[in-house]
Amino acid sequence: MWSFWLVCSLIVLLIVELGKFLNRVREILPFVTKDKILDDCFLSRRWKTKRSIHCCHRGGAFAFGPENTFANFDRCLEIGTDMIEIDVRVTKDNVPVLVHDETLDRTTNGKGKVSSQTWEQIQELDAAYHFRAKDGSFPLRGGSVRVPSLHDFLEKYAKPNPDLMFLIDVKDIPSVDHVLEAIDQYGLTDRVLLGAVPPSVNRVLKAKKGRKIPLCTDFWSFFLIPFLYYSGLLWLYPLDCDAVMLVGFLCSSRLIETLHYRNRRVA
């Protein structure tokens, strides 16, 4: 019996190693669908001079202060980050605001969905209410930390910092048009990477965003791409995204190297 499992293991290892080789030569294989040719977006140009981009996720969530707030974003600038990642949802009265969750419960003293509250109501909430310091205290609770709107954020950080880049994670379909209008209004085409984890939002964003604005992969690709890579089958999968977003514990230096070889950035 042990010989059977040994042979099976060797066959699996052979398939995986063959797959890694085929990843390198897939462009000359006539029977595979080719990767999407990347448009001339800012990621492609920056890649030639800067191989890695430092990004503060939700403005350095949990490390610096309450996520998606000015208190966090100011700290990002102090440490000299290259890019700030934010999350955008739309209020009941169609104002795009910076909130990660569908509801307000985790990050503010409010309750219920973001889409059920008006901008005026959300402005009254304490966006630092649940932020806990390392000593267990709530040092910013009851202060002036509020949920920012997308436009307030861009006015404060995009205009005065022309080299600062942004990763905007669009959380719902109603936010798509607001985000694209803001990118156009503030002239951010060469400074923005878009993300949309829900597949439905990603599809809408891909259809509307235009060729010059890069877009990350959706939720399923977080797991599908590592699975295909580690099983030696990634060479069969065409990449039609501009950047690949991965979950940390599924990532490896060899996977990143493979995606770089196929001209894809990794977030």
Side-chain angles (χ1 to χ4, degrees):
M1 179 62 71
W2 67 268
S3 58
F4 170 77
W5 290 113
L6 176 61
V7 170
C8 288
S9 299
L10 290 174
I11 291 173
V12 170
L13 288 173
L14 180 62
I15 292 173
V16 170
E17 291 304 315
L18 177 62
K20 291 175 181 177
F21 168 74
L22 291 174
N23 265 318
R24 295 279 181 167
V25 299
R26 72 182 307 277
E27 289 302 313
I28 65 173
L29 299 177
F31 53 88
V32 297
T33 304
K34 307 305 180 189
D35 290 338
K36 168 193 167 186
I37 298 175
L38 289 184
D39 297 315
D40 183 28
C41 63
F42 87 94
L43 276 183
S44 299
R45 295 192 296 275
R46 298 258 180 161
W47 187 251
K48 295 173 183 176
T49 58
K50 192 175 181 68
R51 297 292 286 184
S52 110
I53 294 174
H54 182 274
C55 179
C56 283
H57 181 236
R58 298 184 217 166
F62 318 119
F64 303 147
E67 65 182 63
N68 281 316
T69 64
F70 288 174
N72 248 10
F73 303 140
D74 287 343
R75 180 64 178 139
C76 292
L77 296 185
E78 289 175 12
I79 67 168
T81 192
D82 301 309
M83 176 182 282
I84 294 177
E85 188 264 356
I86 59 173
D87 306 283
V88 178
R89 294 184 178 275
V90 170
T91 64
K92 183 178 181 180
D93 50 347
N94 283 317
V95 177
V97 294
L98 274 53
V99 180
H100 178 274
D101 298 357
E102 186 178 8
T103 65
L104 296 157
D105 302 49
R106 181 179 64 85
T107 54
T108 75
N109 58 338
K111 300 288 184 183
K113 293 184 176 181
V114 176
S115 59
S116 69
Q117 308 281 331
T118 65
W119 170 230
E120 184 177 359
Q121 290 173 313
I122 288 178
Q123 281 182 296
E124 298 298 319
L125 300 178
D126 183 353
Y129 188 82
H130 293 292
F131 174 70
R132 187 191 297 268
K134 291 182 178 179
D135 62 3
S137 65
F138 298 89
L140 301 177
R141 180 181 285 184
S144 60
V145 181
R146 296 292 179 262
V147 174
S149 72
L150 174 62
H151 292 283
D152 287 343
F153 168 78
L154 293 177
E155 281 288 336
K156 183 175 175 63
Y157 297 100
K159 284 187 174 180
N161 302 285
D163 293 327
L164 185 63
M165 296 173 282
F166 305 96
L167 197 170
I168 302 179
D169 192 351
V170 184
K171 308 304 286 188
D172 52 22
I173 291 177
S175 300
V176 169
D177 288 336
H178 290 282
V179 168
L180 295 179
E181 288 169 7
I183 290 172
D184 183 61
Q185 178 183 344
Y186 289 90
L188 299 177
T189 301
D190 282 340
R191 297 166 58 190
V192 166
L193 170 62
L194 291 174
V197 175
S200 59
V201 182
N202 198 284
R203 286 193 296 270
V204 172
L205 201 52
K206 184 179 293 185
K208 290 188 172 186
K209 70 181 180 65
R211 296 178 57 193
K212 294 291 186 180
I213 306 174
L215 174 65
C216 290
T217 45
D218 63 17
F219 173 80
W220 296 115
S221 298
F222 289 7
F223 307 98
L224 177 61
I225 288 176
F227 170 77
L228 291 175
Y229 172 75
Y230 293 120
S231 60
L233 300 174
L234 185 59
W235 63 279
L236 288 170
Y237 183 71
L239 299 173
D240 65 349
C241 57
D242 301 296
V244 176
M245 197 171 286
L246 297 173
V247 180
F249 71 91
L250 294 175
C251 203
S252 71
S253 58
R254 293 193 68 178
L255 172 54
I256 293 173
E257 180 184 353
T258 297
L259 292 170
H260 284 175
Y261 183 83
R262 289 176 63 175
N263 202 28
R264 292 304 183 273
R265 314 300 168 247
V266 179

